[in-house]
Each structure stands twice: as structure tokens, then as C-alpha cells.
Amino acid sequence: MLCVFRNIDIKTIAKWCFGVMGSLFFIVIVLALLGVIPDWTFPREEIVRHSLGFTYPTDAFAVYLSVVILGVVAFGIKIPYTVIFVAEVVNFGLYWYTDGRFSFILVTFMLIVLAVLKLLYSKVNSFEEISNKILTNKAVVIVLVCVPFLFLIGSVVLVWMYKNNVSIAVTLNQFLSDRLIHSSKAISN
């Protein structure tokens, strides 16, 4: 499809996709809440997760994450704070119904970063200008390069803490749906 649009700006494609995907996303959810299409439920312990018209609860959040990313690509730094706030309210609503924690965290993090960038760079017109300003700062570049390694080290430390029954890791494992158990088994194998 991108070959057909080779002379069209990526933001134009993102705006078009954002409109179509965003509209369909909300139509599916409204139809599921009205009972027109099925809203499958998946019980997990005391929580009942709703699919909201999608195949599985995390699918709804994955589509929402894509819609938010398309919106950020399409409109960038020009997105008003009210839209960021409404996007986060929708994010909380989706979390309430689907219990999709990782996507919830990703969307929240992305919206917070967008709001902070708007605040810090209010006189800048595009993400390209912001990235040029950020990437000329050596300290920021060092942090950006180190963050993936810090996450890796943090993951290994959390698994080690879980194996040694450190209470915070045990509690965090419950929040992460036993992912620390699975990680420790994978490391043991």
C-alpha cells in the first residue's frame, strides 16, 4: 500500500489511518457494549476481563495503542492537552474493562512523554525539531543508549529477587501475572 502512496507524506497516511482505525475501534466497542456484537468475557481470579468486541481483551488494547501511536505520528506536538487527557481517560476505561496492564502502561507513558514534551518545547513546531534538540545533548543520548541495558539488568535482578523470595518481587510478580515465575523457569532451563 505504501508503494501506491510514495509521493504522499507519512503524516497524511497516518491521519487517514488514524481516522479509519480510530472510528472503527470506537464503533466496535459501542456495538459490543450495546450487545449487538459479542463481548466475550475471560475470568481471571476475581477479575472478569471483557474483550469489548475483539477476540481477546488484550486485542482491544493493542488496537487502542495503535490508534494512539497513529495520532501522535499524525498530529505530533500540536495535540492539545485536552485531547491527551481524554485519551488517558479512555485508557483508564479500557483498563477497567480489559485489565490490559502492559498496554495501559505503554499508552500512559506515551501520553505523559507527549505532555512533558509539549510543556518543555512549547515553541517548537514538530517532533523533528524536538529530536534534533534532544539528540544534541550528550547526557540525553547516553541515557537513551543505556536505558535498554538498564531494563535488561533490572529484569534479571527482579527474577533473582523473586527466586530468593524478596517480598517486593513476589508482590510485583502477582501484578505481572506470574511473569517472574516464567522468567525464572526459563533462566533455570
Side-chain angles (χ1 to χ4, degrees):
M1 182 172 134
L2 290 178
C3 294
V4 175
F5 297 119
R6 67 176 177 237
N7 293 327
I8 297 178
D9 181 38
I10 191 73
K11 288 185 180 185
T12 304
I13 296 170
K15 284 179 185 177
W16 183 81
C17 290
F18 172 77
V20 171
M21 198 169 177
S23 299
L24 291 175
F25 174 73
F26 285 107
I27 288 170
V28 167
I29 288 179
V30 167
L31 291 175
L33 292 174
L34 292 174
V36 176
I37 59 175
D39 174 21
W40 292 290
T41 57
F42 299 84
R44 180 175 69 196
E45 298 164 14
E46 301 93 37
I47 299 169
V48 177
R49 302 176 72 194
H50 293 265
S51 68
L52 297 173
F54 295 89
T55 308
Y56 194 72
T58 53
D59 294 346
F61 241 128
V63 173
Y64 183 64
L65 177 62
S66 300
V67 169
V68 171
I69 290 171
L70 284 169
V72 171
V73 169
F75 304 104
I77 203 78
K78 296 175 184 166
I79 298 174
Y81 286 110
T82 53
V83 173
I84 294 171
F85 177 76
V86 169
E88 187 59 22
V89 169
V90 171
N91 193 31
F92 270 96
L94 280 174
Y95 176 71
W96 178 265
Y97 276 100
T98 66
D99 194 41
R101 291 167 282 194
F102 187 65
S103 296
F104 170 75
I105 291 167
L106 286 176
V107 171
T108 299
F109 180 73
M110 187 182 334
L111 293 173
I112 288 171
V113 168
L114 179 63
V116 168
L117 288 176
K118 280 183 66 66
L119 188 65
L120 294 176
Y121 299 99
S122 59
K123 300 206 179 354
V124 179
N125 293 323
S126 69
F127 279 130
E128 291 80 15
E129 290 179 51
I130 292 172
S131 63
N132 288 338
K133 287 185 176 200
I134 290 173
L135 292 176
T136 56
N137 185 335
K138 289 182 182 176
V140 172
V141 172
I142 290 170
V143 168
L144 290 175
V145 169
C146 292
V147 163
F149 296 109
L150 293 174
F151 276 120
L152 177 65
I153 292 167
S155 299
V156 172
V157 167
L158 276 174
V159 170
W160 177 83
M161 288 170 60
Y162 179 78
K163 279 183 152 184
N164 292 303
N165 291 324
V166 176
S167 63
I168 192 165
V170 173
T171 304
L172 189 59
N173 181 58
Q174 291 172 339
F175 177 74
L176 295 172
S177 302
D178 293 335
R179 284 184 173 73
L180 294 180
I181 289 174
H182 301 306
S183 298
S184 66
K185 286 179 183 176
I187 290 173
S188 297
N189 291 334

